[in-house]
Amino acid sequence: GDLRRCLEDWDRERGVHNFALGTYDRPDRLLFSEKLYGREREIETLLASFDRVVKSGTPELVLISGYSGIGKSSVVNELHKVLVPRRGLFASGKFDQFRRDIPYSTLAQALQSLTRGLLSKSEAELAIWREAMREALHPNGRLMIDLVPGLEAIIGEQPPVPELPPQDAQRRFQLVFRRFIGAFARPEHPLVLFLDDMQWLDFATLELVEDVLTKRNVAHLLMIGAYRDNEVDSAHPLARKITGIRNAGVPLKEIKLGPLTRENVALLITGALQCEPKHVVPLAQAVYDRTAGNPFFAIQFLSSLEQERLLFFDYPRRRWSWHLGRIHAKEYTDNVADLMVEKLKRLTPETQKALERLACIGNTAKVTTLCVVAETEEAQVHRDLSRAIREGLVVRQDGSYRFIHDRVQEAAYSLIPEAQRAAAHLRIGRLLATHTSPEKLEEAIFEIVNQLNRGVELITSLDEKEQLAELNLTAAKRSKACSAYVSALSYLVTGTALLSAGGWEQRPDLRFVLELNRAECEYVTGQLEEAEKRLNGLATRVASPVERAAVDCLRMELYVTRGQVIQATDVGLDYLRNIGVEWSLHPSEEEVQNEYQRILIQLGTRPIENVVELPLMTDPPSLATMDILTKLSGIFRDGNLHAMVTCRAVNLSLELGNCDASCFAYVCLGAIAGWRFDDYPSGFRFGSAGHELLERRGWKRLQPWIDLLFASLVIPWARHVKHGRELLHRAIEGAN
């Protein structure tokens, strides 16, 4: 025993520890080979799919299912080994059960590995990639930088993207993401994207995966997903999406991994003990009987036998031996989870606590984060986890620690008594919030909020509840910015609940914003009845025209979506009534003419083209009214009402200045002035001025609509239709 410990200490000093396998590269230590036994057919299936993608360019989806520890990730890693000589790119990400509400976190993890690989290339190669990425992402590169921060080092700083209505923003994000993936997935370097543990995937990622595979804008992509089939039933979102993807005609291959055979378990043990196959037959039978052929369970079971000296290296005979009778006689657990717990309990209390903290954070955590939650120095974190590394429970890489398997993380988390878990998460969340600077808060918001939300029932201070509600609002806005509305909704529900006792009295401003954003997310995710009820309630609590406009614009969108255009129009007219504008649903011809004449009076002797020189509109209530008028203009229920709305928006712009909605109003006036007011020349000039204003200011929110109207309904009055062809293409591009 003393000699053994001396040898281990000597090996550690020499640094020959194999961190990838958690073993020592010596004959007296268990060395589990990377070779897979009994998986040849599955690996060949993966290679065949990759070859088809290379030859045809058609994207494919391969789904690998099986129990935890059955070897799903190992099979995919075999494919990774052969991609380099075949010029293939490989990116992988792993879903985390404790980070389900962080949108796209797994895709971000995978794509960060790709961008890091680019930064190691020569400047000449990097320049080619930089140009390809800029071309693919322009002008919306900011969206991908927010998702993959390391991308900014390649394509440079990108301008903010304009705000769009929710559904338009979602389509834009999906389009930009497809282009980003397409920049990697090319004939000269096909891309394999591996998403592990999809039973825990977030809804936003699921939607994005379906979009990438079914829109067919992306070629030369092999997407591989692995999941625990015992945790995915027919009602699981993943199962429903798989059906939809298959029905869309996407080539889909399913691989179900079963347990290893007794013979393959024997080969696994033969490799680990470096001995003859016939020598391990009795031991292999015992291991197979206990583990039912689960590879991870088998490896952990063997390690447990070695730790208990029931499996040992016989130095005089230079071979491994075991006490078969004692192995059979000993009471062992029949599942890997309990075995892992027993293994962890043999560690020092310091190492156990370090693993508990890591498990609370997730499958992976940065060293800097572990220092914060342990309230200690980096050296102490490394000391506390060194034994876990030696036991093959975690690995250290790229400034982070990572559990080698989900079962290890689950076992470490189970060491925390259930009654104490909320307190553990709350403590971690408070420490992260305290040690995060204001300028870094948005970047770290998901990590902080997810920890605090798990301990929310223990928060009693009203001030802390309000602060957490604000943090949930920030997380929701971050989720909305990347069109992850389901994740955003979960944060908003939590934020609203934190203020439920007296939110309208204590913090009406915060409660209003939470409720409005929640209604928007309910609307986008198809919960129309809930959204309508929430918006109707908010309409009775608005404190200003700006708040009323925000609520009413969303109400109008909701009613239009339902096909209830009269109700949508009534909402808009009711808003105008509240600011002193009394219009009926069907204005008279005289009222329309009077509104148009007011435009001409306001212009006086100034040329129409001078409207582009007007100052910017800065009055918030007027900007809100312009949004309402724009929504009403898009409904077009009554011709006279549409003309009244258009003329009033132009008049408001002439009085108070321009905004992006002014461009829309000028172009709309250009579309109707000819046939409506018998003033074709003025109509064309107004439309041209509106489009010039759009180009000069660079406003993007309404650009596709303005391009479409100008090209199809204004230009033909004075120019050949071919002059609008380029703008029509841009409108279609911007609307996709």
Side-chain angles (χ1 to χ4, degrees):
D2 291 339
L3 174 61
R4 177 186 181 82
R5 283 190 292 274
C6 288
L7 286 170
E8 290 178 358
D9 291 340
W10 181 58
D11 274 352
R12 283 194 291 274
E13 291 172 6
R14 290 171 59 224
V16 300
H17 184 270
N18 187 324
F19 288 95
L21 299 175
T23 57
Y24 291 86
D25 192 8
R26 274 201 344 239
D28 62 339
R29 294 293 287 176
L30 292 175
L31 180 61
F32 294 103
S33 171
E34 293 184 355
K35 181 179 178 181
L36 298 185
Y37 301 100
R39 304 300 193 205
E40 294 80 8
R41 185 174 61 182
E42 289 83 358
I43 294 170
E44 288 175 3
T45 299
L46 280 179
L47 286 172
S49 291
F50 178 73
D51 287 338
R52 282 195 299 273
V53 168
V54 171
K55 292 176 182 177
S56 69
T58 303
E60 285 197 23
L61 173 63
V62 177
L63 294 169
I64 305 176
S65 61
Y67 282 94
S68 175
I70 209 69
K72 301 181 290 293
S73 304
S74 299
V75 167
V76 178
N77 288 333
E78 286 295 304
L79 174 64
H80 186 195
K81 294 175 185 177
V82 303
L83 291 184
V84 175
R86 300 189 187 202
R87 299 174 289 105
L89 299 176
F90 183 87
S92 66
K94 185 179 179 66
F95 290 95
D96 193 321
Q97 57 185 320
F98 290 147
R99 291 173 174 161
R100 297 188 193 188
D101 288 331
I102 303 180
Y104 312 123
S105 61
T106 302
L107 287 173
Q109 178 187 348
L111 296 172
Q112 280 169 353
S113 67
L114 286 176
T115 55
R116 279 197 300 268
L118 296 183
L119 291 172
S120 64
K121 295 183 178 295
S122 67
E123 183 54 40
E125 289 180 294
L126 185 59
I128 296 173
W129 278 100
R130 181 181 295 114
E131 183 60 29
M133 296 243 177
R134 285 176 174 170
E135 181 181 350
L137 300 179
H138 181 77
N140 299 302
R142 183 80 248 167
L143 290 175
M144 288 301 103
I145 287 178
D146 290 341
L147 179 66
V148 187
L151 180 63
E152 190 168 21
I154 298 174
I155 65 174
E157 187 177 354
Q158 298 293 301
V161 296
E163 287 191 23
L164 293 177
Q167 292 171 326
D168 292 340
Q170 189 170 32
R171 285 191 289 268
R172 177 181 63 186
F173 185 86
Q174 291 171 343
L175 173 65
V176 175
F177 185 80
R178 291 198 303 271
R179 288 177 171 174
F180 186 47
I181 292 294
F184 289 101
R186 297 192 170 188
E188 59 270 26
H189 42 70
L191 172 64
V192 175
L193 183 58
F194 174 42
L195 303 179
D196 201 2
D197 281 324
M198 290 185 76
Q199 71 275 0
W200 294 323
L201 88 175
D202 60 285
F203 188 80
T205 299
L206 188 56
E207 291 280 293
L208 211 52
V209 165
E210 181 185 39
D211 182 77
V212 167
L213 290 171
T214 58
K215 288 296 175 60
R216 305 298 176 92
N217 299 71
V218 180
H220 300 95
L221 169 68
L222 175 62
M223 187 174 290
I224 305 173
Y227 65 95
R228 301 179 185 178
D229 52 2
N230 59 307
E231 297 184 22
V232 176
D233 57 19
S234 58
H236 194 285
L238 176 60
R240 295 199 297 269
K241 272 303 184 232
I242 290 172
T243 301
I245 290 171
R246 181 185 286 110
N247 291 341
V250 176
L252 191 155
K253 193 76 177 176
E254 295 189 69
I255 299 173
K256 183 174 177 59
L257 289 183
L260 299 179
T261 63
R262 186 180 292 102
E263 292 73 20
N264 286 321
V265 171
L267 290 173
L268 174 70
I269 297 173
T270 298
L273 304 186
Q274 303 173 59
C275 60
E276 293 295 322
K278 62 181 180 180
H279 180 60
V280 303
V281 171
L283 177 62
Q285 182 65 52
V287 172
Y288 179 82
D289 291 342
R290 180 62 61 183
T291 65
N294 184 291
F296 180 73
F297 194 178
I299 290 170
Q300 296 303 322
F301 185 69
L302 281 171
S303 299
S304 179
L305 293 178
E306 194 261 350
Q307 288 176 348
E308 297 184 34
R309 302 292 294 150
L310 298 180
L311 173 66
F312 58 93
F313 190 76
D314 189 338
Y315 284 93
R317 300 171 66 186
R318 300 293 297 168
R319 55 178 279 185
W320 285 87
S321 297
W322 48 87
H323 299 295
L324 194 61
R326 289 170 59 189
I327 291 173
H328 284 302
K330 186 172 175 61
E331 289 293 328
Y332 280 106
T333 178
D334 287 327
N335 66 78
V336 68
D338 291 342
L339 180 67
M340 294 310 306
V341 171
E342 291 176 9
K343 188 171 184 178
L344 294 179
K345 286 181 176 179
R346 299 190 195 106
L347 302 171
T348 65
E350 294 78 15
T351 299
Q352 288 185 46
K353 285 294 180 185
L355 291 173
E356 289 173 11
R357 289 189 290 267
L358 176 56
C360 282
I361 296 169
N363 182 265
T364 305
K366 294 179 181 178
V367 173
T368 51
T369 302
L370 292 172
C371 290
V372 169
V373 301
E375 298 182 276
T376 189
E377 300 295 324
E378 183 175 331
Q380 186 61 48
V381 169
H382 295 320
R383 282 193 293 271
D384 290 343
L385 288 171
S386 60
R387 179 67 184 275
I389 289 179
R390 291 197 297 273
E391 295 295 336
L393 301 171
V394 298
V395 293
R396 179 183 168 191
Q397 58 186 29
D398 299 328
S400 300
Y401 280 94
R402 175 178 59 82
F403 286 106
I404 63 160
H405 198 274
D406 300 325
R407 287 300 192 190
V408 183
Q409 180 189 0
E410 292 165 9
Y413 191 69
S414 72
L415 294 176
I416 308 172
E418 190 169 350
Q420 299 175 20
R421 291 173 188 172
H425 285 294
L426 182 59
R427 175 183 169 276
I428 290 173
R430 284 168 170 167
L431 286 168
L432 291 175
T434 301
H435 289 81
T436 302
S437 61
E439 59 271 15
K440 293 286 186 180
L441 180 62
E442 191 169 334
E443 181 181 330
I445 190 66
F446 293 122
E447 294 286 355
I448 295 171
V449 168
N450 285 346
Q451 293 295 329
L452 292 173
N453 285 352
R454 288 191 177 92
V456 68
E457 69 269 19
L458 301 179
I459 299 176
T460 57
S461 163
L462 289 179
D463 287 343
E464 188 173 10
K465 285 185 177 182
E466 287 181 10
Q467 291 168 6
L468 182 52
E470 290 177 338
L471 291 175
N472 273 279
L473 177 60
T474 301
K477 288 180 176 178
R478 276 290 304 273
S479 299
K480 281 176 55 185
C482 54
S483 302
Y485 291 97
V486 173
S487 295
L489 183 56
S490 69
Y491 292 121
L492 293 164
V493 169
T494 302
T496 304
L498 284 161
L499 299 179
S500 59
W504 284 114
E505 292 73 27
Q506 297 162 9
R507 289 292 305 276
D509 55 335
L510 177 58
R511 182 63 182 265
F512 177 83
V513 177
L514 283 166
E515 294 279 5
L516 180 63
N517 279 272
R518 181 173 175 178
E520 181 185 35
C521 291
E522 288 169 339
Y523 162 62
V524 176
T525 56
Q527 302 174 53
L528 301 186
E529 289 185 8
E530 292 87 343
E532 181 182 13
K533 181 187 291 187
R534 196 169 309 282
L535 289 169
N536 289 340
L538 281 172
T540 66
R541 291 184 175 273
V542 292
S544 68
V546 173
E547 289 187 354
R548 180 176 293 279
V551 172
D552 286 349
C553 279
L554 191 51
R555 291 171 74 198
M556 293 168 73
E557 279 189 40
L558 187 150
Y559 287 130
V560 169
T561 299
R562 283 180 162 177
Q564 299 171 310
V565 293
I566 294 178
Q567 289 90 329
T569 306
D570 286 340
V571 169
L573 293 178
D574 186 59
Y575 171 88
L576 294 175
R577 203 170 293 117
N578 274 279
I579 62 170
V581 179
E582 290 284 348
W583 285 352
S584 72
L585 191 59
H586 305 286
S588 67
E589 188 69 32
E590 182 182 1
E591 288 175 303
V592 176
Q593 288 292 338
N594 289 339
E595 194 68 37
Y596 181 67
Q597 288 302 316
R598 199 156 71 89
I599 294 174
L600 302 180
I601 292 170
Q602 285 205 85
L603 275 173
T605 59
R606 293 178 296 169
I608 291 173
E609 289 74 15
N610 277 16
V611 299
V612 300
E613 306 297 340
L614 291 172
L616 292 180
M617 185 183 295
T618 57
D619 177 51
S622 299
L623 289 166
T625 299
M626 288 292 289
D627 282 340
I628 291 290
L629 292 172
T630 301
K631 293 287 184 187
L632 276 172
S633 179
I635 295 175
F636 208 92
R637 174 70 181 179
D638 178 273
N640 282 356
L641 180 60
H642 179 266
M644 284 281 287
V645 166
T646 299
C647 292
R648 177 54 61 95
V650 171
N651 274 315
L652 197 58
S653 301
L654 293 174
E655 291 170 13
L656 299 173
N658 288 324
C659 62
D660 59 351
S662 302
C663 304
F664 186 75
Y666 296 144
V667 173
C668 279
L669 182 58
I672 68 171
W675 61 269
R676 186 74 208 225
F677 304 113
D678 197 26
D679 195 354
Y680 289 96
S682 294
F684 182 76
R685 292 168 69 190
F686 267 114
S688 299
H691 201 268
E692 182 186 343
L693 178 62
L694 176 77
E695 297 290 346
R696 183 181 295 189
R697 292 292 184 180
W699 287 317
K700 301 293 184 182
R701 182 171 67 115
L702 301 171
Q703 181 182 308
W705 281 106
I706 295 170
D707 284 344
L708 177 64
L709 287 171
F710 185 62
S712 60
L713 298 179
V714 177
I715 286 179
W717 292 124
R719 301 284 188 273
H720 192 281
V721 291
K722 67 180 181 183
H723 292 287
R725 186 182 302 154
E726 186 177 336
L727 288 179
L728 283 174
H729 284 301
R730 191 172 80 168
I732 294 169
E733 181 80 3
N736 281 335

